[in-house]
């Protein structure tokens, strides 16, 4: 195992359904209590595939101009049993720039992370006998400990703006945000050699239009518009010039939502120059069903498939992702507890907008 390799964060294709992972400022941006779980299998046909599990919950507390949330996530990498588990908390604060039409939210995420490896699952070069298929014992000495733990911190900003047409009640909603992850670049080494976790920058945006101008009910609009997500993390390997470049993905595509269906298609490139076909990574196809059990309980079930376009296209088998989201739109636990669920300040901080 080389000590020169820096870690890379897992990513998700359904970033519209898992916003807290990419930017903590999304905490409590929508009304009520939201619970979201996601499972991702990267390169499913490769025996040592990568699997990621995540469950997060967040709620809006406008009486305090804030949102709160929690998350638990586990990432399993390859046959070596490398596991990264984190548990964390979110907090966001809302600033009203223009009542009902423009808000800015700042958010932080604070995690406790544990990284571990199963030494018995590793196979080293000295265990392979070219003359026989037998795996012989290794001379490599296992580390004194097989895990490391550390705190981790993230920060983000999100702005959401309702853009009105002149002399019309029609409007669209523009959402823009950015986040910096791993602010303190914590040392995640298991083997006693310094291995700082590189910072990651994410930039995201969406523009949602109601294309059914005859709709009289904002709760059931027919939405269409572009969305994008850009990620960059410095995972360079200084000893290997051929790999001396940061990890980057740029997702851009179109989303459509009209109850009960949601559909989207995205193109993922390794560079923001998305027309640079040489660095194409995947086409992402996503479909979701939005259900409304009662006025107090909504749910959404989504599935996406990454069609691999890179050099791994013949062997990867693509990537699968499943998400389940449960929403209690009228839940207002903290503000009700302090007796401020319907005060004048809470109502002034609300924003009626279009979101996917």
């Amino acid at each position: 195992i080389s000590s020169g390799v820096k870690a890379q964060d897992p990513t998700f294709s359904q970033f519209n359904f898992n916003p807290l992972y990419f930017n903590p400022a999304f905490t409590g941006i929508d009304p009520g209590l939201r619970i979201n779980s996601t499972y991702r299998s990267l390169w499913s046909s490769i025996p040592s595939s990568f699997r990621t599990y995540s469950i997060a919950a967040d709620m809006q507390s406008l009486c305090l101009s804030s949102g709160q949330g929690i998350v638990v996530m586990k990432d399993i990498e390859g046959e070596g049993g490398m596991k990264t588990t984190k548990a964390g908390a979110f907090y966001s604060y809302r600033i009203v720039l223009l009542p009902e039409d423009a808000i800015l939210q700042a958010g932080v995420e604070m995690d406790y992370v544990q990284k571990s490896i199963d030494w018995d699952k590793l196979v080293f070069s000295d265990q392979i006998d070219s003359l026989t298929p037998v795996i012989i014992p290794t001379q490599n000495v296992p580390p004194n400990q097989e895990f490391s733990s550390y705190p981790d911190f993230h920060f983000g900003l999100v702005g959401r703006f309702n853009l009105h047409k002149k002399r019309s009640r029609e409007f669209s909603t523009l959402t823009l945000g950015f986040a910096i992850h791993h602010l303190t670049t914590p040392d995640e080494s298991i083997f006693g050699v310094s291995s700082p976790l590189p910072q990651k920058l994410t930039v995201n945006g969406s523009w949602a239009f109601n294309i059914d101008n005859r709709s009289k009910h904002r709760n059931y609009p027919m939405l269409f518009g572009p969305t994008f997500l850009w990620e960059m993390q410095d995972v360079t390997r200084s000893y290997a010039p051929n790999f001396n470049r940061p990890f980057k993905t740029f997702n851009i595509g179109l989303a459509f939502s009209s109850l009960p269906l949601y559909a989207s298609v995205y193109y993922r490139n390794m560079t923001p120059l998305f027309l640079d076909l040489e660095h194409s990574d995947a086409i992402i196809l996503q479909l979701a069903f939005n259900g409304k059990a009662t006025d107090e309980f909504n749910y959404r079930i989504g599935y996406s498939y990454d069609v691999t376009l890179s050099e791994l296209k013949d062997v990867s088998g693509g990537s699968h992702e499943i998400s389940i989201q449960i929403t209690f739109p009228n839940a207002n636990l903290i503000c009700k507890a302090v007796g401020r669920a319907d005060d004048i300040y809470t109502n002034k901080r609300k924003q009626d907008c279009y979101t996917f």
Side-chain angles (χ1 to χ4, degrees), residues 11 73 141 276 337:
T11 191
M73 191 178 87
V141 179
D276 181 7

Side-chain angles (χ1 to χ4, degrees), residues 119-170:
W119 188 265
D120 294 333
K121 290 185 178 181
L122 299 176
V123 177
F124 298 90
S125 59
D126 66 343
Q127 294 182 266
I128 302 174
D129 188 338
S130 60
L131 301 178
T132 68
V134 178
I135 301 297
I136 60 178
T138 181
Q139 299 301 312
N140 288 280
V141 179
N144 294 328
Q145 63 179 29
E146 296 185 0
F147 71 90
S148 64
S149 58
Y150 52 89
D152 200 7
F153 303 94
H154 320 263
F155 172 80
L157 290 172
V158 168
R160 183 169 280 177
F161 312 93
N162 288 335
L163 307 178
H164 293 265
K165 291 185 177 180
K166 291 183 178 180
R167 300 177 183 178
S168 173
R169 298 183 61 184
E170 298 176 16

Side-chain angles (χ1 to χ4, degrees), residues 6 36 39 46 75 85 88 91-92 100 108 130 144 175 188 196 201 222 229 233 250 254 292 308 333 353 355:
K6 296 182 180 180
N36 187 81
Y39 165 74
I46 298 177
D75 185 48
T85 304
Y91 177 82
S92 68
E100 298 185 0
V108 295
S130 60
N144 294 328
T175 303
E188 61 172 3
L201 172 70
M222 184 180 293
L229 171 70
Q233 188 172 21
F250 185 76
L254 295 171
K292 184 176 182 180
T308 306
L333 303 181
C353 59
T355 63

